């Protein structure tokens, strides 16, 4: 079974995807990691993330193993990593180079402990529209920019990272605009996606609602 969860940053996709993967014994692929890996690869080499030629070269040479190694960089999950990811993600060739790696995972889903599984929960922006249009269940999880920025802000503070809410809100809006206005695979719900607005819902409520939908499918 393949489930895709797309939506803007900090809408609650990651937590939901991991909970679903655990409950239904599916692998989990956070596809934002492939773009963060390219962004961090550039930054670590002193190259600006809007350098198209360098980003294309990094994407062409990106592998799953290299991505996991780059994920150890302290900036990988930071707003610097997120902004860099969203810049390289707007480059059509970068997306094309990273597509196969994401699609191959559905053929060979692997759990964190290395065991083989029979399905995947994808989390990203275009996993229901481009990466896995054949998915059995497509969700589009969203929330207002203010709610998402506050969630991210709290997350940064909990991790001990410096954060100013107003700046996180401005970055959230900037990233939304870049992700949804790019020409290659913009952020938008698949035609057959179920849209869930989590602005006024806690994660337990969202999870219960989605489990009901999955159980109906099964
Ligand atoms: O989800 P995350 O915040 O890690 O994603 C980082 C960036 O990667 C997003 O802002 C988006 O530009 C890009 N992305 C994408 N397509 C995906 C996943 C992430 O363009 N499927």
């Amino acid at each position: 079974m393949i489930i895709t969860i797309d939506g803007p940053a900090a809408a609650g996709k990651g937590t939901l995807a991991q909970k679903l993967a655990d409950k239904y014994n599916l692998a989990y692929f956070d596809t934002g990691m492939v773009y963060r890996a390219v962004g961090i690869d550039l930054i670590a080499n002193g190259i600006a993330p809007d350098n198209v030629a360098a980003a294309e070269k990094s994407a062409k040479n990106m592998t799953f193993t290299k991505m996991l190694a780059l994920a150890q960089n302290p900036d990988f999950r930071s707003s610097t990593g997120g902004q860099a990811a969203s810049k390289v993600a707007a480059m059509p060739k970068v997306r094309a180079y990273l597509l196969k790696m994401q699609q191959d995972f559905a053929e060979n889903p692997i759990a964190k402990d290395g065991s083989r599984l029979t399905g995947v929960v994808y989390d990203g922006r275009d996993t229901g529209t481009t990466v896995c249009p054949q998915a059995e269940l497509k969700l589009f999880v969203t929330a207002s920019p203010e709610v998402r920025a506050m969630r991210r802000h709290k997350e940064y503070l909990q991790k001990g990272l410096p954060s100013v809410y107003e700046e996180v809100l401005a970055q959230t809006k900037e990233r939304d605009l870049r992700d949804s206005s790019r020409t290659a695979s913009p952020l938008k719900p698949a035609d057959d996606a179920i849209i869930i607005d989590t602005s006024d819902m806690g994660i337990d409520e969202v999870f219960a609602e989605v489990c009901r939908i999955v159980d109906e499918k099964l």
Side-chain angles (χ1 to χ4, degrees):
M1 166 140 152
I2 296 176
I3 301 175
T4 58
I5 308 180
D6 291 308
K13 307 182 302 286
T15 313
L16 174 64
Q18 290 189 48
K19 282 171 87 71
L20 285 175
D22 287 346
K23 175 165 168 131
Y24 295 99
N25 206 22
L26 301 166
Y28 168 51
F29 195 161
D30 167 8
T31 62
M33 286 182 74
V34 301
Y35 300 99
R36 283 180 186 261
V38 171
I40 289 295
D41 191 18
L42 298 185
I43 291 173
N45 286 294
I47 303 169
D50 47 14
N51 183 324
V52 179
E56 287 174 356
K57 191 173 169 208
S58 168
K60 194 176 180 185
N61 296 321
M62 191 53 65
T63 61
F64 213 86
T65 312
K66 202 169 167 192
M67 177 184 84
L68 294 179
L70 285 160
Q72 301 307 314
N73 185 302
D75 257 336
F76 192 81
R77 291 278 164 205
S78 72
S79 63
T80 306
Q83 291 294 334
S86 122
K87 285 182 184 162
V88 302
M91 302 170 188
K93 272 199 184 165
V94 167
R95 300 198 73 85
Y97 284 132
L98 297 172
L99 182 60
K100 191 171 180 316
M101 185 175 149
Q102 298 171 72
Q103 291 178 326
D104 283 350
F105 194 76
E107 305 296 318
N108 191 14
I110 296 184
K112 277 193 206 114
D113 63 6
S115 59
R116 284 270 194 116
L117 295 171
T118 54
V120 187
V121 183
Y122 278 97
D123 153 8
R125 303 291 186 287
D126 65 339
T127 63
T129 50
T130 306
V131 178
C132 265
Q134 77 279 18
E136 281 91 342
L137 177 63
K138 299 178 189 177
L139 303 171
F140 190 86
V141 177
T142 188
S144 72
E146 289 73 17
V147 167
R148 290 185 287 116
M150 185 51 81
R151 286 179 189 158
R152 256 301 125 89
H153 171 62
K154 285 183 179 166
E155 203 180 294
Y156 290 149
L157 294 181
Q158 264 171 14
K159 286 183 186 163
L161 297 166
S163 182
V164 177
Y165 170 74
E166 287 72 20
E167 285 175 10
V168 180
L169 178 61
Q171 285 167 0
T172 301
K173 288 182 175 170
E174 189 192 319
R175 197 131 76 93
D176 283 358
L177 182 67
R178 201 183 296 122
D179 288 351
S180 50
S181 61
R182 68 181 177 223
T183 46
S185 244
L187 168 68
K188 66 166 182 165
D191 290 341
D192 49 350
I194 298 171
I195 297 176
I196 300 175
D197 188 327
T198 68
S199 300
D200 299 316
M201 289 169 94
I203 179 62
D204 291 341
E205 208 181 329
V206 176
F207 182 55
E209 167 72 9
V210 173
C211 286
R212 198 186 49 73
I213 298 169
V214 175
D215 291 340
E216 235 169 58
K217 280 261 170 204
L218 289 171

